[in-house]
Amino acid sequence: MTNKQLYHRIDQAAAELCAISDDIFDHPELSGREYHACEVLTAFLERAGFRVEKGVGGLETAFRATWSNGAGGPNFGLLCEYDALPDLGHGCGHHAQGPAILGAALALKDMADDKPFTITVYGTPAEESIGGKIVMQKNGCFEELDVALMFHAGQTTTTDIKSLALSSFKVRFHGRSAHAAMAPEEGRSALDGLMLAFQGVEYMREHVREDTRMHYTITNGGGADNVVPALAEGTVTLRSYNCAYLDTVVERLRDIIAGAGLMSGTQGELVEDLPFDSKIPVLRLNQLLMEKAQALNAPTIRPAREKTGSTDFGNVMYRVPGSCIRVAFVPEHCVAHSMEYVQAGKSEEMHQALLIAAKVLAAACGDMLEQPELLTEIREEFRQRKQELGR
């Protein structure tokens, strides 16, 4: 297969792919309830000859679609999100991810020659809420992939070098209630425990690596001020670009909670949410995607992003070599989760972005198939980088 063949096949399907993007945009669905998007995307894949499984990875609106050209060879993973934002709709461009992935998958399948390989398309819901890929990964998804690729529309055409690992906790302190004026000595304030814990986080802030981020808030302060509160609750989120280092910060947080309980005569409790891993960047794979984007004259090409937030794709990229091509569809000053993104959601710029992304991903997979040494190089870089992280 050649890049020219792949591009031509995507151009042939362009009208249908753009119509699917617009359809998903017009039917925004919140995390975990993306029934229409799941149905539209899987129906296309079934018509194209893929074997589709719905409800994979413990999520009702997740899916896996596979097609194999013979036995053996690399397994190319193409991942897409399709959840919308509350009260805003598709303000992050997720509606275009699936159609771009469909285009890449279709071109790779229809232009296949005698080289064996597998295409695996994963539909990954609930990115904006629980981090659906984390749930799916814990339930055995993605492990079969040799490489995992994504597309995200944005302000620039670029890739990411890293992302922040994230550990998030609900914090509860249990004390003993009493009348604050008549019998304060009988009470043990859960709010005292919570506030001491947050003060401990502040003292720890000075003694962590500079990429460490700490956020907290009180969600339940305990009620009336004339009653010693028996229960107080809050949340704490910790982040770092290094998963192994973040683990040490989490252990220090556990000590802080225990110490705050001792000081206040209360009992602290931490309940951990699903953790977000940091990405392991594979610069050779990033380079491959950007070479294809440049050849296609993608708009607003910029250097790879060094400073990013947290993403559930990090949990995939911590275990499988991966990358996400970002393609510009709005002016560079626009920000995600905004009305500017919504207003441009069905624009010609968005349609062109998803078609460029489909071509970038298809061509990158084609190169890895035609040049096995390239995939070997990518795997080796991933192995070395993961070893350096020490986790």
Side-chain angles (χ1 to χ4, degrees), residues 29-32 34 81-85 90 94 125-129:
E29 299 165 299
L30 299 182
S31 295
E34 310 96 327
E81 303 156 356
Y82 32 89
D83 57 332
L85 296 162
H90 280 288
H94 288 180
E127 189 273 340
E128 297 287 2
S129 56

Side-chain angles (χ1 to χ4, degrees), residues 216-280:
Y216 56 80
T217 191
I218 296 173
T219 57
N220 172 14
D225 64 358
N226 64 344
V227 178
V228 177
L231 175 68
E233 299 171 299
T235 59
V236 177
T237 296
L238 307 175
R239 305 183 200 235
S240 170
Y241 285 118
N242 185 298
C243 285
Y245 181 70
L246 185 61
D247 290 342
T248 69
V249 180
V250 168
E251 289 308 306
R252 293 168 68 185
L253 174 65
R254 296 188 189 281
D255 289 341
I256 287 170
I257 298 301
L262 287 172
M263 287 188 286
S264 59
T266 62
Q267 182 66 46
E269 175 189 7
L270 276 177
V271 180
E272 186 170 10
D273 291 335
L274 290 172
F276 287 65
D277 289 334
S278 58
K279 292 178 178 178
I280 296 179

Side-chain angles (χ1 to χ4, degrees), residues 1-7 10 74-78 104-105 107-109 111-113 115-119 147 149 285 288-289 292 357-375 378:
M1 67 180 72
T2 66
N3 287 350
K4 185 176 180 180
Q5 290 174 316
L6 294 169
Y7 297 165
I10 291 166
N75 191 329
F76 298 116
L78 302 173
L108 287 166
K109 170 186 172 292
M111 296 298 106
D113 50 29
K115 294 182 179 64
F117 69 99
T118 295
I119 308 165
V147 65
L149 298 173
L285 185 53
L288 176 62
L289 297 185
K292 301 305 178 187
K359 293 174 182 179
V360 167
L361 297 179
C365 291
D367 277 12
M368 287 183 277
L369 185 62
E370 298 293 334
Q371 304 169 46
E373 67 279 5
L374 178 56
L375 186 54
I378 287 167

Side-chain angles (χ1 to χ4, degrees), residues 56-352:
V56 301
L59 296 176
E60 185 181 6
T61 52
F63 68 84
R64 175 171 49 225
T66 56
W67 181 86
S68 294
N69 191 46
N75 191 329
F76 298 116
L78 302 173
L79 282 58
C80 60
E81 303 156 356
Y82 32 89
D83 57 332
L85 296 162
D87 304 319
L88 190 62
H90 280 288
C92 205
H94 288 180
H95 62 290
Q97 288 190 19
I101 293 302
L102 297 183
L106 179 69
L108 287 166
K109 170 186 172 292
D110 287 356
M111 296 298 106
D113 50 29
D114 59 347
K115 294 182 179 64
F117 69 99
T118 295
I119 308 165
T120 301
V121 177
Y122 270 109
T124 64
E127 189 273 340
E128 297 287 2
S129 56
I130 62 172
K133 296 180 196 64
I134 305 174
V135 178
M136 294 174 70
Q137 183 266 322
K138 286 184 173 293
N139 284 295
C141 294
F142 316 120
E143 294 177 358
E144 77 277 25
L145 305 179
D146 288 292
V147 65
L149 298 173
M150 281 191 63
F151 151 65
H152 208 300
Q155 310 99 314
T156 62
T157 298
T158 188
T159 55
D160 293 344
I161 290 181
K162 54 189 176 182
S163 67
L164 284 163
L166 177 152
S167 291
S168 184
F169 302 86
K170 293 180 178 64
V171 187
R172 298 189 186 98
F173 275 84
H174 303 273
R176 188 167 67 237
S177 183
H179 194 293
M182 300 296 293
E185 71 280 4
E186 299 295 328
R188 297 294 181 268
S189 172
L191 182 59
D192 286 353
L194 186 62
M195 293 177 68
L196 283 166
F198 288 165
Q199 190 64 38
V201 171
E202 285 301 317
Y203 285 127
M204 180 170 63
R205 195 184 297 278
E206 183 183 359
H207 304 289
V208 293
R209 293 179 184 175
E210 60 183 357
D211 72 334
T212 308
R213 301 288 183 268
M214 307 179 192
H215 332 290
Y216 56 80
T217 191
I218 296 173
T219 57
N220 172 14
D225 64 358
N226 64 344
V227 178
V228 177
L231 175 68
E233 299 171 299
T235 59
V236 177
T237 296
L238 307 175
R239 305 183 200 235
S240 170
Y241 285 118
N242 185 298
C243 285
Y245 181 70
L246 185 61
D247 290 342
T248 69
V249 180
V250 168
E251 289 308 306
R252 293 168 68 185
L253 174 65
R254 296 188 189 281
D255 289 341
I256 287 170
I257 298 301
L262 287 172
M263 287 188 286
S264 59
T266 62
Q267 182 66 46
E269 175 189 7
L270 276 177
V271 180
E272 186 170 10
D273 291 335
L274 290 172
F276 287 65
D277 289 334
S278 58
K279 292 178 178 178
I280 296 179
V282 182
L283 300 187
R284 184 64 187 93
L285 185 53
N286 283 0
Q287 180 187 0
L288 176 62
L289 297 185
M290 290 305 297
E291 287 171 355
K292 301 305 178 187
Q294 289 163 350
L296 288 161
N297 294 314
T300 323
I301 290 176
R302 295 290 182 266
R305 302 192 313 170
E306 296 245 12
K307 186 176 181 180
T308 66
S310 305
T311 171
D312 60 359
F313 192 38
N315 292 64
V316 180
M317 286 181 58
Y318 206 83
R319 290 156 183 83
V320 177
S323 184
C324 177
I325 182 67
R326 296 178 177 273
V327 182
F329 80 108
V330 292
E332 201 164 354
H333 66 268
C334 293
V335 295
H337 294 205
S338 67
M339 279 306 301
E340 288 87 352
Y341 267 52
V342 174
Q343 291 163 354
K346 295 170 66 175
S347 65
E348 179 61 23
E349 289 79 7
M350 175 59 95
H351 292 164
Q352 287 303 310

